[in-house]
Amino acid sequence: MVQDEKNFNTVAQPDWCPGCGNFGIQVAMKKAFTNLDLDPDSIAVISDIGCSGKMPHWLNTYGLHSLHGRAVAAASGVKFANRDLRVLVSIGDGGAYGIGLNHLLQAIRRNIDMTVLVHNNMVYGLTKGQMTPTSRKGFKTPSSPFGAVEEPLNPVTMALAAGGSFVARGYAGDVPHLTMLIEEGIKHSGFSLIDIFQPCVTFNKEQTYAYYLKQLYKLEEEQGYDRGNWETAMQKARQNDRWPVGIFYQAGRPTYEEEDPGRAEVPAVKLPVENIDIKAVMERYF
Ligand SMILES: Cc1ncc(C[n+]2csc(CCOP(=O)(O)OP(=O)(O)O)c2C)c(N)n1
Ligand code: SF4
């Protein structure tokens, strides 16, 4: 079947604040699914908690709204149970780089085949604007009234250092570019991290659309940028006066699922269950 963006719509409409960057991310996801001609039932979108966490409610694909910081762990389980699914994660910077950072690092290291979209608005959106690990040093919020004390975490250098096989940064205000990044992330065999600058128009009055207009440029516009070169990727990721967006680094390496010695011939979800008696297991645990 040839897909149409409308096939990914749900009856319910998003209730994000008007102008929220999450709209751009959602449109880019639908466009990427359509361009890759993916069936809605071949995709699972697993989300965290937060404004970003509402994504599966408004996409006609399989979905799971998990716990704060646990979306990558839940997505790993989904992928192991059914490796035929395209698994994506929608998660905020609080969930990905704060409470859930360990899960993220382990999944990057293991190279589990999934695409993680971090809605990086540099605040806790849903709980009204507290600081997160990516908030600028000195950024004043309800939880940092004198300004954030620590240096912000750099998700791109972190993912590169952790052995990420696909590390990208996008911007919710540039849907065609973000669509391309999501398509490339889905096509990549292994773990793809896309850190997305996502304006939170309600609680972050600093990193606005106008701010990003001045601050961003595209890596593809740099003549001869080689995304296979880890050292250059690291240098570009550390640039601070302006921020590049695009695919910093991509490398082929076996996925966790391919190397798993316990890998079954068929995905667990496709095993016959009719003749399985679970009574003994139930009795043991309950
Ligand atoms: C374990 C746990 N701790 C705290 C919360 C409260 N909580 C709900 S959303 C949220 C912050 C969400 O911020 P972020 O992850 O950046 O996502 P955003 O809302 O910005 O998309 C917090 C702390 C929770 N739901 N669960
Ligand atoms: S609070 Fe911020 S992140 Fe949440 S919906 Fe509103 S603009 Fe978007």
Side-chain angles (χ1 to χ4, degrees):
M1 174 182 172
V2 177
Q3 292 302 332
D4 185 292
E5 272 171 55
K6 291 194 199 85
N7 296 348
F8 298 99
N9 290 346
T10 50
V11 179
Q13 297 290 316
D15 67 3
W16 292 309
C17 309
C20 174
N22 286 335
F23 286 101
I25 300 175
Q26 191 198 34
V27 172
M29 289 173 85
K30 286 188 205 172
K31 284 190 185 295
F33 299 158
T34 307
N35 294 347
L36 294 173
D37 201 23
L38 299 178
D39 284 330
D41 64 5
S42 69
I43 303 166
V45 178
I46 314 303
S47 74
D48 214 68
I49 295 293
C51 300
S52 47
K54 299 179 187 176
M55 190 64 86
H57 299 269
W58 303 318
L59 276 177
N60 180 33
T61 61
Y62 285 117
L64 174 72
H65 192 164
S66 76
L67 300 175
H68 199 219
R70 308 293 169 238
V72 173
S76 306
V78 170
K79 188 69 188 179
F80 295 154
N82 188 356
R83 60 179 179 256
D84 293 340
L85 283 173
R86 311 280 182 149
V87 176
L88 288 96
V89 172
S90 237
I91 184 168
D93 45 308
Y97 306 139
I99 189 172
L101 184 62
N102 180 43
H103 297 295
L104 180 70
L105 284 175
Q106 304 300 349
I108 294 175
R109 183 174 75 82
R110 291 176 178 142
N111 204 29
I112 302 171
D113 187 21
M114 65 172 80
T115 299
V116 175
L117 309 177
V118 183
H119 303 223
N120 185 357
N121 51 22
M122 301 169 195
V123 287
Y124 283 170
L126 193 73
T127 47
K128 299 183 183 249
Q130 298 85 352
M131 61 168 282
T132 69
T134 52
S135 300
R136 158 185 89 70
K137 183 171 182 176
F139 189 58
K140 288 191 180 166
T141 72
S143 60
S144 56
F146 305 108
V149 174
E150 59 270 62
E151 288 294 336
L153 176 140
N154 181 329
V156 177
T157 55
M158 180 200 68
L160 288 169
S165 61
F166 182 106
V167 184
R169 183 153 69 194
Y171 170 44
D174 186 344
V175 170
H177 185 252
L178 183 58
T179 304
M180 176 279 287
L181 293 180
I182 297 174
E183 277 178 52
E184 292 299 312
I186 293 173
K187 283 193 289 183
H188 177 74
S189 172
F191 190 94
S192 40
L193 177 76
I194 309 179
D195 179 66
I196 304 168
F197 291 133
Q198 177 246 316
C200 168
V201 293
T202 305
F203 296 113
N204 185 340
K205 304 292 183 190
E206 215 172 87
Q207 279 78 34
T208 60
Y209 289 99
Y211 176 91
Y212 285 123
L213 206 60
K214 288 205 202 121
Q215 188 68 6
L216 305 185
Y217 73 93
K218 294 194 179 99
L219 279 176
E220 305 90 280
E221 286 162 8
E222 290 269 290
Q223 253 209 329
Y225 184 78
D226 173 12
R227 67 166 95 155
N229 186 327
W230 188 90
E231 275 81 15
T232 333
M234 207 43 146
Q235 270 172 21
K236 280 284 166 200
R238 296 187 65 201
Q239 187 179 351
N240 250 337
D241 54 336
R242 294 189 72 205
W243 293 338
V245 289
I247 302 169
F248 284 76
Y249 182 69
Q250 185 170 17
R253 85 178 163 88
T255 66
Y256 183 89
E257 305 90 282
E258 283 162 358
E259 300 228 304
D260 178 8
R263 177 185 163 103
E265 281 300 305
V266 287
V269 78
K270 298 207 170 130
L271 292 172
V273 289
E274 298 82 37
N275 298 324
I276 295 177
D277 183 1
I278 62 162
K279 247 192 285 162
V281 178
M282 297 294 275
E283 270 160 23
R284 192 166 151 209
Y285 289 104
F286 296 103

